[in-house]
Short mmCIF file of all heavy atoms in Angstrom, two decimals:
data_model
loop_
_atom_site.label_atom_id
_atom_site.label_comp_id
_atom_site.label_asym_id
_atom_site.label_seq_id
_atom_site.Cartn_x
_atom_site.Cartn_y
_atom_site.Cartn_z
N ILE A 1 105.80 -56.66 -81.10
CA ILE A 1 105.85 -57.63 -80.08
C ILE A 1 105.02 -58.93 -80.39
O ILE A 1 105.38 -60.03 -80.26
CB ILE A 1 105.38 -57.10 -78.77
CG1 ILE A 1 106.50 -56.06 -78.20
CG2 ILE A 1 105.14 -58.16 -77.59
CD1 ILE A 1 106.04 -55.28 -77.00
N MET A 2 103.81 -58.63 -80.96
CA MET A 2 102.86 -59.64 -81.26
C MET A 2 103.01 -60.27 -82.66
O MET A 2 102.34 -61.18 -83.05
CB MET A 2 101.40 -59.08 -81.22
CG MET A 2 100.96 -58.62 -79.77
SD MET A 2 100.82 -59.94 -78.63
CE MET A 2 99.23 -60.54 -79.12
N GLN A 3 104.04 -59.76 -83.38
CA GLN A 3 104.28 -60.17 -84.81
C GLN A 3 102.95 -60.06 -85.64
O GLN A 3 102.57 -60.98 -86.38
CB GLN A 3 104.82 -61.65 -84.83
CG GLN A 3 106.23 -61.77 -84.44
CD GLN A 3 106.89 -63.04 -85.07
OE1 GLN A 3 106.63 -63.43 -86.21
NE2 GLN A 3 107.75 -63.65 -84.25
N LEU A 4 102.42 -58.89 -85.47
CA LEU A 4 101.18 -58.60 -86.30
C LEU A 4 101.38 -57.45 -87.31
O LEU A 4 100.38 -56.84 -87.77
CB LEU A 4 100.01 -58.26 -85.34
CG LEU A 4 99.47 -59.31 -84.51
CD1 LEU A 4 98.49 -58.80 -83.47
CD2 LEU A 4 98.86 -60.44 -85.44
N LEU A 5 102.66 -57.17 -87.69
CA LEU A 5 102.88 -56.19 -88.61
C LEU A 5 102.49 -56.57 -90.05
O LEU A 5 102.39 -57.77 -90.32
CB LEU A 5 104.41 -55.88 -88.68
CG LEU A 5 105.05 -55.18 -87.46
CD1 LEU A 5 106.54 -55.26 -87.48
CD2 LEU A 5 104.56 -53.76 -87.40
N PRO A 6 102.33 -55.67 -90.94
CA PRO A 6 101.94 -56.02 -92.32
C PRO A 6 103.07 -56.86 -92.91
O PRO A 6 104.28 -56.68 -92.58
CB PRO A 6 101.90 -54.66 -93.03
CG PRO A 6 101.58 -53.76 -92.06
CD PRO A 6 102.24 -54.20 -90.82
N PRO A 7 102.81 -57.83 -93.72
CA PRO A 7 103.85 -58.69 -94.30
C PRO A 7 105.10 -57.99 -94.96
O PRO A 7 106.24 -58.47 -94.68
CB PRO A 7 103.15 -59.52 -95.42
CG PRO A 7 101.71 -59.49 -94.97
CD PRO A 7 101.47 -58.17 -94.35
N GLN A 8 104.89 -56.89 -95.58
CA GLN A 8 106.08 -56.19 -96.12
C GLN A 8 106.96 -55.56 -95.13
O GLN A 8 108.12 -55.11 -95.45
CB GLN A 8 105.52 -55.12 -97.12
CG GLN A 8 104.72 -54.02 -96.51
CD GLN A 8 103.21 -54.23 -96.42
OE1 GLN A 8 102.81 -55.48 -96.40
NE2 GLN A 8 102.47 -53.19 -96.45
N ALA A 9 106.51 -55.36 -93.85
CA ALA A 9 107.32 -54.82 -92.82
C ALA A 9 108.00 -55.78 -91.86
O ALA A 9 108.83 -55.33 -91.07
CB ALA A 9 106.48 -53.80 -92.01
N ARG A 10 107.62 -57.06 -92.02
CA ARG A 10 108.16 -57.98 -90.99
C ARG A 10 109.59 -58.19 -91.02
O ARG A 10 110.28 -58.71 -90.03
CB ARG A 10 107.39 -59.32 -91.23
CG ARG A 10 105.92 -59.21 -90.71
CD ARG A 10 105.12 -60.46 -90.97
NE ARG A 10 103.74 -60.29 -90.69
CZ ARG A 10 102.68 -61.14 -91.00
NH1 ARG A 10 102.97 -62.26 -91.65
NH2 ARG A 10 101.45 -60.85 -90.77
N GLY A 11 110.21 -58.01 -92.28
CA GLY A 11 111.65 -58.18 -92.30
C GLY A 11 112.42 -56.92 -91.90
O GLY A 11 113.60 -56.98 -91.79
N ASN A 12 111.71 -55.94 -91.57
CA ASN A 12 112.35 -54.63 -91.07
C ASN A 12 112.33 -54.37 -89.53
O ASN A 12 111.91 -53.44 -89.11
CB ASN A 12 111.70 -53.47 -91.81
CG ASN A 12 111.80 -53.47 -93.29
OD1 ASN A 12 112.63 -54.21 -93.87
ND2 ASN A 12 111.02 -52.75 -93.97
N VAL A 13 112.65 -55.52 -88.86
CA VAL A 13 112.67 -55.45 -87.43
C VAL A 13 113.91 -56.00 -86.89
O VAL A 13 114.65 -56.90 -87.36
CB VAL A 13 111.54 -56.43 -86.90
CG1 VAL A 13 111.50 -56.45 -85.33
CG2 VAL A 13 110.17 -55.88 -87.36
N ALA A 14 114.45 -55.30 -85.77
CA ALA A 14 115.73 -55.70 -85.12
C ALA A 14 115.56 -55.63 -83.59
O ALA A 14 114.55 -54.90 -83.18
CB ALA A 14 116.92 -54.84 -85.58
N GLY A 15 116.31 -56.22 -82.81
CA GLY A 15 116.25 -56.27 -81.38
C GLY A 15 115.75 -57.53 -80.90
O GLY A 15 115.86 -58.56 -81.58
N GLU A 16 115.35 -57.53 -79.60
CA GLU A 16 114.95 -58.73 -78.97
C GLU A 16 113.63 -58.42 -78.23
O GLU A 16 113.40 -57.37 -77.67
CB GLU A 16 115.91 -59.28 -77.95
CG GLU A 16 117.28 -59.73 -78.65
CD GLU A 16 118.15 -60.23 -77.51
OE1 GLU A 16 118.14 -59.74 -76.41
OE2 GLU A 16 118.97 -61.17 -77.83
N VAL A 17 112.76 -59.46 -78.25
CA VAL A 17 111.45 -59.43 -77.35
C VAL A 17 111.41 -60.78 -76.69
O VAL A 17 111.06 -61.79 -77.32
CB VAL A 17 110.23 -59.20 -78.30
CG1 VAL A 17 108.94 -59.27 -77.39
CG2 VAL A 17 110.22 -57.91 -78.99
N ILE A 18 111.84 -60.72 -75.46
CA ILE A 18 112.07 -62.01 -74.76
C ILE A 18 110.78 -62.28 -73.82
O ILE A 18 110.55 -61.44 -72.93
CB ILE A 18 113.36 -62.07 -73.87
CG1 ILE A 18 114.51 -61.71 -74.72
CG2 ILE A 18 113.51 -63.30 -73.20
CD1 ILE A 18 114.79 -62.68 -75.77
N LEU A 19 110.16 -63.36 -73.99
CA LEU A 19 109.06 -63.80 -73.18
C LEU A 19 109.51 -65.17 -72.55
O LEU A 19 109.65 -66.13 -73.30
CB LEU A 19 107.73 -63.93 -73.89
CG LEU A 19 106.56 -64.43 -73.11
CD1 LEU A 19 106.06 -63.40 -72.14
CD2 LEU A 19 105.42 -64.87 -73.97
N GLY A 20 109.68 -65.25 -71.24
CA GLY A 20 110.26 -66.36 -70.71
C GLY A 20 111.62 -66.54 -71.14
O GLY A 20 112.54 -65.75 -70.95
N ASN A 21 111.89 -67.65 -71.87
CA ASN A 21 113.24 -67.88 -72.44
C ASN A 21 113.26 -67.88 -73.97
O ASN A 21 114.19 -68.37 -74.66
CB ASN A 21 113.91 -69.19 -71.89
CG ASN A 21 113.00 -70.45 -72.21
OD1 ASN A 21 111.98 -70.27 -72.88
ND2 ASN A 21 113.45 -71.59 -71.93
N GLN A 22 112.19 -67.31 -74.59
CA GLN A 22 112.02 -67.25 -75.99
C GLN A 22 112.12 -65.93 -76.54
O GLN A 22 111.49 -64.99 -75.96
CB GLN A 22 110.67 -67.96 -76.38
CG GLN A 22 110.67 -69.40 -76.22
CD GLN A 22 109.28 -69.97 -76.72
OE1 GLN A 22 108.25 -69.40 -76.37
NE2 GLN A 22 109.36 -71.05 -77.53
N ASP A 23 112.81 -65.69 -77.60
CA ASP A 23 112.73 -64.48 -78.36
C ASP A 23 111.60 -64.56 -79.39
O ASP A 23 111.70 -65.29 -80.33
CB ASP A 23 114.05 -64.21 -79.08
CG ASP A 23 114.15 -62.91 -79.76
OD1 ASP A 23 113.15 -62.18 -79.72
OD2 ASP A 23 115.24 -62.54 -80.40
N LEU A 24 110.60 -63.75 -79.12
CA LEU A 24 109.40 -63.80 -80.00
C LEU A 24 109.69 -63.41 -81.41
O LEU A 24 108.99 -63.97 -82.38
CB LEU A 24 108.25 -62.94 -79.43
CG LEU A 24 107.76 -63.24 -78.03
CD1 LEU A 24 106.63 -62.38 -77.58
CD2 LEU A 24 107.53 -64.71 -77.81
N LEU A 25 110.67 -62.57 -81.63
CA LEU A 25 110.96 -62.16 -82.97
C LEU A 25 111.61 -63.30 -83.82
O LEU A 25 111.55 -63.28 -85.06
CB LEU A 25 111.88 -60.97 -82.98
CG LEU A 25 111.43 -59.74 -82.28
CD1 LEU A 25 112.40 -58.62 -82.40
CD2 LEU A 25 109.98 -59.27 -82.75
N ALA A 26 112.12 -64.38 -83.16
CA ALA A 26 112.62 -65.44 -83.87
C ALA A 26 111.75 -66.60 -84.07
O ALA A 26 112.06 -67.60 -84.72
CB ALA A 26 113.92 -65.91 -83.03
N LEU A 27 110.50 -66.47 -83.50
CA LEU A 27 109.53 -67.63 -83.57
C LEU A 27 108.92 -67.59 -85.00
O LEU A 27 108.46 -66.58 -85.51
CB LEU A 27 108.48 -67.51 -82.51
CG LEU A 27 108.96 -67.69 -81.06
CD1 LEU A 27 107.75 -67.71 -80.16
CD2 LEU A 27 109.65 -69.01 -80.96
N PRO A 28 108.68 -68.81 -85.58
CA PRO A 28 107.77 -68.87 -86.77
C PRO A 28 106.38 -68.62 -86.46
O PRO A 28 105.94 -68.63 -85.34
CB PRO A 28 108.02 -70.35 -87.30
CG PRO A 28 108.30 -71.00 -86.01
CD PRO A 28 109.07 -70.08 -85.12
#
């Protein structure tokens, strides 16, 4: 949810985490 995974695992994520109207998984 916080995008604090190790760098090697960040590409291994699927689904949605919506806060307000933003998908946090899509944020840079």
Side-chain angles (χ1 to χ4, degrees):
I1 290 171
M2 298 291 284
Q3 285 205 36
L4 290 175
L5 291 169
Q8 63 271 24
R10 291 176 187 171
N12 298 344
V13 175
E16 294 182 329
V17 177
I18 306 298
L19 180 71
N21 59 357
Q22 291 184 310
D23 184 356
L24 300 187
L25 300 184
L27 293 183

